[in-house]
Every structure is written in structure tokens, then in C-alpha cells.
Amino acid sequence: MWESWGSNMVVKVKWFYHPEETKLGKRQSDGKNALYQSCHEDENDVQTISHKCQVVGREHYEQMTRGRKHQDRQDLYYLAGTYDPTTGRLVTADGVPILC
């Protein structure tokens, strides 16, 4: 975070995509809280941030959601892979390309 010339607080963010936001769309293997990381970055006014979330690996996500404490957390997601919004290319977290 930093202060811009106009005295606004700015933050640089890296975008994550829900499976249904990708060109391929949601697949059966995409779980409820899957996210795809992208190389897409933006600078935004901090006031545009609605809330923070936690993105963890799938195995860690499964462990966390087994416990009662984290079962109903709507701010907890797992990293399903990477997505390039310019080409539509999806790659699983294991490095396997997903063909469209």
C-alpha cells in the first residue's frame, strides 16, 4: 500500500479467478471454493477492497475444512491452478495443462 499523488491510498493486487470466470468455465472437478491465480495485476484505490480472503493449497484447505472451526468460512479458498486471461490457458496446481 502507498499514498498516491492525490493523497489516496493505493494497493497493488494480483487477480484470482473463480472457475466460472475462466473461458473454460466451471468444471466438475472444481470444488466449491476453487480459485485460479493469474499474472494479471492492477493498482486500485484501497476503498475498492470489500474484504480479505485466505487462499491455501488444496490439501491444507481439506484439512482446515474438516475442523468445525473453518467449515462454514466463506473467506477460505484453495488454489486450483493458474489462469492466463489473455490466452484462456488453465493449468492445474500440479502443473497439468487443461485443454479447452
Side-chain angles (χ1 to χ4, degrees):
M1 269 191 248
W2 67 94
E3 189 173 346
S4 71
W5 288 99
S7 296
N8 293 331
M9 291 303 293
V10 179
V11 64
K12 187 174 192 174
V13 296
K14 183 173 263 194
W15 288 94
F16 287 79
Y17 290 81
H18 294 276
E20 54 273 15
E21 297 171 322
T22 66
K23 288 184 180 178
L24 186 60
K26 189 168 179 83
R27 300 173 312 127
Q28 190 171 12
S29 60
D30 290 324
K32 177 182 173 189
N33 287 6
L35 287 180
Y36 287 91
Q37 181 178 341
S38 77
C39 57
H40 177 197
E41 292 181 341
D42 270 333
E43 293 177 4
N44 294 297
D45 191 295
V46 293
Q47 293 181 349
T48 63
I49 299 171
S50 64
H51 64 281
K52 72 176 189 171
C53 68
Q54 186 175 5
V55 182
V56 297
R58 180 118 192 211
E59 192 172 303
H60 191 201
Y61 174 83
E62 306 265 339
Q63 290 172 352
M64 291 176 77
T65 55
R66 276 190 215 114
R68 264 197 170 352
K69 182 179 176 184
H70 298 291
Q71 269 181 345
D72 296 326
R73 283 187 48 187
Q74 295 185 2
D75 62 344
L76 179 62
Y77 296 88
Y78 72 88
L79 185 62
T82 59
Y83 175 62
D84 184 338
T86 57
T87 64
R89 180 184 161 114
L90 280 168
V91 178
T92 68
D94 296 328
V96 179
I98 301 170
L99 302 176
C100 297

